Every structure is written in structure tokens, then in C-alpha cells.
Amino acid sequence: HYDEAIEMFEKLLQTVPESARIRVCIGRCYREQGDFAKAIEYCRKAIQKNALYAQAYDEMGKTYIVQKDIENAITCFKNGIALSPKFPPRYEQIMDILLQQKLEAEAEFIFEKAVENTVPIEELDFKYGKILFHLRKFDKALHHFERAVAIDPDNKSLLNILGICLKNLGRSEDALKHYNAAIKRHPEDTKLLFNKALCLISLARYDQAKKILKMILFMEPNNIKVATKLEAISKEIPPDNK
């Protein structure tokens, strides 16, 4: 109920006319309503009242992101971090926003700032590794994935992407060993099984790959991706390799 919220915040401003925080709250309401001009206006008014209020820059940055004004958004986020460099939720929130917009390079910059400022972000290595992975910096990503696995050895998403990273580095044998170990922990995880099959295909071990693909289809009969892959390798493999 944004209209009601704005009305209440405006009444509050009459009581606390110098409040930057209330103006940011109003700005957020306007952003949620899609009135970006007013959202920016209230954030600017908040900064005029208190130039050290970091949340005003955060909110303005979010509004610029929605408008696809990436340059101004990053400037706002940097200003917020400069004012409050040790606040973990700020980094996590900004990085999530940037990753949702597929702005991996910008998210990497924010992560580097978090590392530089020794900010204790939960799952830092996993999140940083994913950014590097999407930037195809697989060697750097691998380092962070391996550190993350040491902390959280049962994280299936992490185990899966670490194997993919190894495969993309041309280390299919290592990836295969990794998937074997991961599948021992999670024998019914079809994503792990599928990526193990892809490793086997890259190593020309087609019979083993087909066996795993059929196993996945037994568990998930409607898995079109697996069925398509099984059909494709059955058609493309030379007779001697079938």
C-alpha cells in the first residue's frame, strides 16, 4: 500500500523535517510504484539533508539500475560503500542486484572492494567464484570454489559448478574424479550425474555416459535435456565407439 505509506511518511516529515531516512523511505515507495523521477528526487533531498547517509546512495543506485542507467547506479553504490565500507549486507545486496541484471564485471568490482575491506560475507568464496565463472575466468574461479568446498563440502550447487569449472579448464579427468566423490555424497542428484556424463562424453567414454543418462531418465522420465543428449550421442558416435 505505497500511497498510504507515502502519506504516513509525509506526515512524519512534518514532525522530523530534517530526516534523510524518511525521504529515502518515500523514494523507495516511488521506485516500487515506477515513478523513478520522484524516487531520485527524494533520494537527492535525503543526501542534501545528510550527505553521510549511505542508504540514500543505495536506494538511488537501485532506482538507476531499474532504469538501466548502469553508470549512475555504480557511482551511487560506490559512494555508499565509501561511506560505510564495513557493512556486509550492503555488499551482498548490491552484488545480488548486479548479478540479477547479469552485470558480472560490475559485481566483481564490488566483491573486490569487499575483499579489500576485509568484509566478512557469508559464502564469499562461492559467490565470488560464481562471478569469476560467469566472466569465464575459470582458473581464478576454481581457487575460490575449492576454498568454498573445504568449508561447505555438502553444498550440491557448489560441488556441481566446481566440476563444470574443472571441465572448462580442460581437466575432464579431474572433473570426473570430483563428480565421483560428489555423487557418493549425493547419489540421486541428477545434475551431478548429468555433468558426470558430459565429462565421460568429453573423454570419449560413450558407453559409460549412456549408462548414466539412462539412469537419470529412470529417475526423471520427462527430463527432455537428458533424453535429447542420449539420442544425440547414440546417433553421432561412430559404430566402433557405440
Side-chain angles (χ1 to χ4, degrees):
H1 302 282
Y2 295 116
D3 287 332
E4 293 175 44
I6 290 168
E7 184 179 346
M8 292 182 71
F9 284 131
E10 291 286 7
K11 288 179 180 177
L12 276 173
L13 271 183
Q14 294 173 18
T15 306
V16 196
E18 298 301 309
S19 174
R21 182 178 182 182
I22 294 171
R23 287 176 171 83
V24 169
C25 291
I26 295 172
R28 179 182 176 183
C29 290
Y30 280 121
R31 171 172 63 83
E32 296 285 2
Q33 287 184 318
D35 192 337
F36 304 128
K38 281 190 176 178
I40 294 293
E41 177 189 346
Y42 271 88
C43 287
R44 284 180 176 153
K45 287 179 177 178
I47 292 167
Q48 288 171 5
K49 294 295 181 181
N50 183 359
L52 301 179
Y53 188 57
Q55 284 88 337
Y57 296 98
D58 295 345
E59 180 57 39
M60 192 184 293
K62 291 175 189 176
T63 305
Y64 281 129
I65 281 285
V66 176
Q67 294 178 287
K68 306 296 182 185
D69 187 344
I70 307 306
E71 185 177 348
N72 275 323
I74 297 299
T75 298
C76 289
F77 292 146
K78 286 180 181 178
N79 287 338
I81 287 171
L83 287 169
S84 180
K86 296 288 187 180
F87 186 54
R90 172 161 292 107
Y91 291 92
E92 295 193 79
Q93 191 176 69
I94 292 170
M95 289 182 294
D96 286 344
I97 290 168
L98 294 173
L99 289 174
Q100 285 169 11
Q101 298 293 322
K102 302 190 183 301
L103 298 169
E104 285 90 0
E106 290 81 0
E108 183 186 14
F109 172 83
I110 301 299
F111 255 122
E112 287 172 348
K113 283 293 179 186
V115 173
E116 180 184 316
N117 291 317
T118 62
V119 177
I121 297 177
E122 187 179 353
E123 298 182 345
L124 176 63
D125 280 298
F126 187 15
K127 290 185 178 181
Y128 194 18
K130 282 196 290 186
I131 290 173
L132 294 167
F133 179 87
H134 288 299
L135 290 170
R136 304 191 69 77
K137 297 180 180 181
F138 299 123
D139 53 342
K140 290 183 178 180
L142 180 63
H143 168 71
H144 290 281
F145 289 147
E146 288 175 336
R147 283 175 34 142
V149 164
I151 297 169
D152 188 5
D154 283 320
N155 187 321
K156 290 189 286 186
S157 296
L158 174 54
L159 293 169
N160 195 44
I161 199 169
L162 192 155
I164 297 170
C165 194
L166 285 165
K167 183 173 177 289
N168 282 326
L169 285 168
R171 295 171 56 184
S172 290
E173 286 285 5
D174 290 334
L176 190 58
K177 291 175 185 175
H178 166 76
Y179 280 121
N180 286 337
I183 289 166
K184 278 186 181 180
R185 291 176 176 272
H186 307 283
E188 295 184 357
D189 189 284
T190 55
K191 288 183 179 178
L192 291 170
L193 287 166
F194 182 70
N195 281 307
K196 177 182 177 179
L198 294 182
C199 282
L200 289 166
I201 291 168
S202 71
L203 294 166
R205 299 180 191 174
Y206 303 113
D207 286 338
Q208 294 176 49
K210 288 168 68 177
K211 188 181 294 185
I212 290 174
L213 292 172
K214 288 176 182 178
M215 186 190 308
I216 297 171
L217 285 175
F218 179 78
M219 291 187 278
E220 297 179 358
N222 297 320
N223 193 320
I224 295 173
K225 181 171 71 171
V226 173
T228 302
K229 178 59 70 174
L230 179 60
E231 183 181 359
I233 62 170
S234 297
K235 287 180 178 178
E236 295 174 9
I237 301 167
D240 290 341
N241 291 327
K242 281 189 178 180

